[in-house]
Amino acid sequence: MIKKLVTFGLIFMVLFVLAPLASAQQKGLDWDNPIKIGYLNPFTGPATLTTSLDLPGVRLAIEEVNAAGGVLGRPLVVVPRDDKLNPEHALREAKDLVVNEKVFWLHGVTSSGVARAVSQYAKDQKKIYAISVAKSEKLTGEWGHRYVFRSTNNVEMENVGIAKATKEIFGPLKKIYNLSPDYEGGHAGWRTFFDSYKKLVPDAILVGEAWPKLGTQDYTPNLTAVMNSGAELMFTSFYQADALTMIKQSIALGLDGKIAMTGVWWGMYAMCQKFNKDFYPKKTIGGSTYAFWAIDTAESKRFVENIKSKFGVYPEYAVNSYAFVKAMAKAINKVGTLDTEKVITALEGAIMESPVGPVEIRACDHQAMWPSYVGLIGEVPGWDFYASRKPIVIGREAYPTCEEIAKLRKK
Amino acid sequence: MFELVFGQIISGLSVGMVFFLIAVGLSMVFGTLRVLNVAHASFYMLGAYLCYTITHFLGPSSGMFWIALILAPIGVAIFGGILELLVLRPIYKRELLYQLILTFGFILIIGDIVKLTWGVQFYQVNIPWPLLGTVSFLGTRLSYYHIFMIAMGPIILILIWGLLHKTRLGRVIRAVTYNRDMSSALGVNVSLVYTIVFMFASWLAGLGGTLMAPMASVFLGMDTTVTIECFIIIVIGGFGSTGGAFLGAIVFGLANSLGILVLPKQAIAFGFIAMAAVLVVRPWGLLGKPE
């Protein structure tokens, strides 16, 4: 008897739990025939952090699109896959997504090396690939093609932008020390920064440089060398945990405040959330892709609030994926059919209605003209962390022109 | 010029001392247990994470670090002891290759344990009261915490020396290191000694991690970045030698920091060059013994 009661009880519970869930699915959409997004990013290993910040953007956009009637009467769904930060593995997953899952477009990827492999595959398969996090300028520059898009900004424009902001904020500092990580991106970043900085401050000179490896535990020997070099400005493109280590050690040495510091990604929320009134680098500027604490629009506030309440994170990367998925849904609805070529044409020059305002997807290289935000790190009223209070917004002037892109691709 | 060199020497020493704390445990385990524990640095990472958790659990005062300094290494030692008892013990008699594969597995397992427990975020621990601030000394600016870290090296060296040479346990450990079968025949509980040495080595690595937490950031993968350096230090100093690890750490720290003065672009190579030089002249290390 008791057994029967328990069984009935369970059946009732299952019915009661599942029934509301089923009805929560938007009515009227063809749920048996969804439009799939093939999402690639690391779900294992240290780089999982970016995935946890990026994927919520896709999910939120899907939710809003489906609630507003979906795409061509069909719902959008995301099929996430682990790329393991490895090009070969990512390719296998991409193939499976395209061949077996029949996704309409590929989306995501953090590593530029992985993104290049996926981009090549998308080109061969004539499938749209939307890069959301990977930042090498080459992906939409010399390696770019008809099928690849990028919704975030890129390293080159960030370095051009930070050179401009450095000059504006600190004035024409002449003696520069470069302390950057010893890999291709670190070297390329420094070259871009210094070339653009020299255009603004022609008599700027390099008084010293060092290239510690990523993951160095103690930068003190480098920092004492910076302090004794007579430099007025220290440039660096170390980021996340490495940058935090470097900042702690410069504060411990009293370097911050004496020598101006410029960190390409030191304004990112992942970094700034660690800063407070007792712990932040003085006389330091940092750049970010989305300075949501300084953007005072209702749209941005609503977006931050939504991501925070639904996914428990701040929208560091999510914003780019969110804007692109919505732009894509709009483009497909406009074309009226799932024809990749027609959708690409509709996306070229389209405006992404994003939380930072309208951002154009440039037709010539499929690069979104996403801005970057650079400012002096300090108190931001209303937030419990220190970040760039009034960041300078760097826009499309920092991107290479379409002619320059065409020249790069001809090579 | 003097200030320049002096500043680099001091910062080189501070780099060296943390590496010493990690490397000396690795060296002891190899000397006594004859096991090359490639996952040793993972205990260092675990120490740093425990330090973060304990300081944040106890409250906002940065002085809580001192409690973490006592508790975190002990936690790591207990973890090391359990690992030794359950997993390492059955493979002592196997070939070196099995030990390498097993301890390499530890790196992955500990990495995943850390990820499951603390997530993929990176963390920071504040520099503890009363070591905040800097002092000017002979024209070079030093932070109090750096001075404290530099002082910890010799203190630990003396502690280990005292343990090995002035206590009964130390005599037993040395006897087991010297001849395991003979010690066993004389009634020494070799397995217990192994566990104790492994726990002590884990404690040292945990201490290194705890001490580094206020200086660096605590992140997934901070273990693998120091592994190579530790091996360099032990090769320079001599496998199994405590004093050798100390000397090796100083040589490595100075090679790196003075290298920055001479050839900043190629500075990361200087530690390796020092190792290569030692391998050519004294393959058994500065203070090691030829086999």
Side-chain angles (χ1 to χ4, degrees), chain A residues 265-278:
Chain A
W265 293 298
W266 288 14
M268 299 291 279
Y269 171 72
M271 292 279 330
C272 291
Q273 60 169 329
K274 312 284 179 197
F275 300 151
N276 52 52
K277 73 173 175 14
D278 300 317

Side-chain angles (χ1 to χ4, degrees), chain A residues 54-334:
Chain A
D54 176 47
L55 187 54
V58 178
R59 292 202 190 278
L60 184 65
I62 288 177
E63 220 180 284
E64 293 182 10
V65 167
N66 289 348
V71 178
L72 309 177
R74 296 160 65 180
L76 271 183
V77 296
V78 59
V79 186
R81 289 287 166 86
D82 187 0
D83 72 9
K84 298 199 169 159
L85 216 63
N86 174 323
E88 282 172 34
H89 191 84
L91 266 185
R92 271 202 299 280
E93 293 292 354
K95 278 178 194 163
D96 187 55
L97 285 168
V98 169
V99 176
N100 296 325
E101 293 286 346
K102 309 222 177 334
V103 300
F104 179 63
W105 88 89
L106 293 165
H107 193 107
V109 178
T110 296
S111 146
S112 290
V114 176
R116 187 185 186 185
V118 176
S119 165
Q120 188 56 45
Y121 176 70
K123 187 181 172 188
D124 296 342
Q125 295 296 312
K126 300 196 187 314
K127 280 276 169 194
I128 296 173
Y129 168 41
I131 301 167
S132 62
V133 184
K135 286 209 166 180
S136 168
E137 66 273 11
K138 292 182 179 159
L139 289 166
T140 47
E142 58 180 286
W143 303 334
H145 51 80
R146 179 165 167 80
Y147 298 92
V148 70
F149 288 80
R150 171 158 47 200
S151 54
T152 187
N153 56 19
N154 65 44
V155 182
E156 185 185 34
M157 93 56 90
E158 286 180 304
N159 278 299
V160 171
I162 206 143
K164 184 175 166 233
T166 301
K167 158 88 192 316
E168 264 176 51
I169 293 169
F170 290 137
L173 300 179
K174 289 187 190 71
K175 295 176 186 162
I176 300 169
Y177 198 104
N178 167 40
L179 192 58
S180 289
D182 196 11
Y183 69 108
E184 167 51 26
H187 286 270
W190 159 249
R191 280 194 302 271
T192 312
F193 169 81
F194 199 52
D195 287 348
S196 0
Y197 191 75
K198 280 200 88 145
K199 281 180 200 150
L200 304 166
V201 187
D203 49 352
I205 50 161
L206 178 67
V207 294
E209 62 184 317
W211 302 91
K213 62 173 188 160
L214 284 172
T216 298
Q217 297 282 286
D218 199 343
Y219 295 95
T220 311
N222 294 110
L223 296 171
T224 46
V226 174
M227 282 178 89
N228 291 324
S229 69
E232 295 166 318
L233 173 75
M234 181 183 108
F235 169 87
T236 173
S237 51
F238 275 100
Y239 55 95
Q240 294 202 350
D242 285 320
L244 186 66
T245 301
M246 187 180 279
I247 288 169
K248 291 188 83 163
Q249 288 158 2
S250 7
I251 294 175
L253 278 175
L255 183 149
D256 72 313
K258 283 220 164 61
I259 296 170
M261 292 195 281
T262 257
V264 187
W265 293 298
W266 288 14
M268 299 291 279
Y269 171 72
M271 292 279 330
C272 291
Q273 60 169 329
K274 312 284 179 197
F275 300 151
N276 52 52
K277 73 173 175 14
D278 300 317
F279 172 74
Y280 75 98
K282 285 151 201 85
K283 209 175 166 184
T284 297
I285 63 180
S288 141
T289 21
Y290 179 33
F292 54 86
W293 51 88
I295 298 175
D296 217 14
T297 62
E299 171 59 15
S300 177
K301 281 179 178 164
R302 184 193 65 84
F303 175 70
V304 172
E305 188 48 46
N306 269 343
I307 288 276
K308 181 81 180 141
S309 64
K310 286 191 174 128
F311 303 96
V313 295
Y314 279 114
E316 181 100 76
Y317 300 97
V319 67
N320 302 97
S321 279
Y322 170 81
F324 188 84
V325 172
K326 293 201 92 171
M328 186 69 146
K330 205 170 144 191
I332 300 173
N333 275 332
K334 187 176 147 197

Side-chain angles (χ1 to χ4, degrees), chain B residues 83-158:
Chain B
L83 218 55
E84 199 273 346
L85 275 176
L86 294 182
V87 195
L88 215 49
R89 197 167 268 195
I91 62 135
Y92 286 133
K93 296 240 162 78
R94 299 284 188 92
E95 288 170 49
L96 185 69
L97 184 65
Y98 287 96
Q99 302 172 357
L100 284 179
I101 293 172
L102 180 73
T103 54
F104 184 75
F106 285 172
I107 298 181
L108 305 176
I109 293 166
I110 295 175
D112 270 357
I113 290 176
V114 167
K115 199 170 97 180
L116 287 175
T117 318
W118 285 279
V120 287
Q121 265 281 359
F122 54 94
Y123 301 100
Q124 72 116 356
V125 175
N126 288 328
I127 290 183
W129 174 89
L131 296 178
L132 215 58
T134 56
V135 58
S136 262
F137 182 65
L138 296 178
T140 298
R141 224 168 224 286
L142 301 171
S143 82
Y144 289 119
Y145 195 80
H146 268 118
I147 300 172
F148 167 70
M149 287 219 294
I150 294 171
M152 279 310 277
I155 292 173
I156 295 296
L157 181 68
I158 291 166

Side-chain angles (χ1 to χ4, degrees), chain B residues 45-83:
Chain B
M45 173 167 77
L46 209 55
Y49 271 95
L50 281 178
C51 173
Y52 163 77
T53 299
I54 294 169
T55 47
H56 281 250
F57 181 72
L58 289 176
S61 161
S62 69
M64 294 303 171
F65 169 77
W66 301 109
I67 298 173
L69 188 62
I70 294 171
L71 293 182
I74 293 177
V76 178
I78 293 171
F79 180 79
I82 294 170
L83 218 55

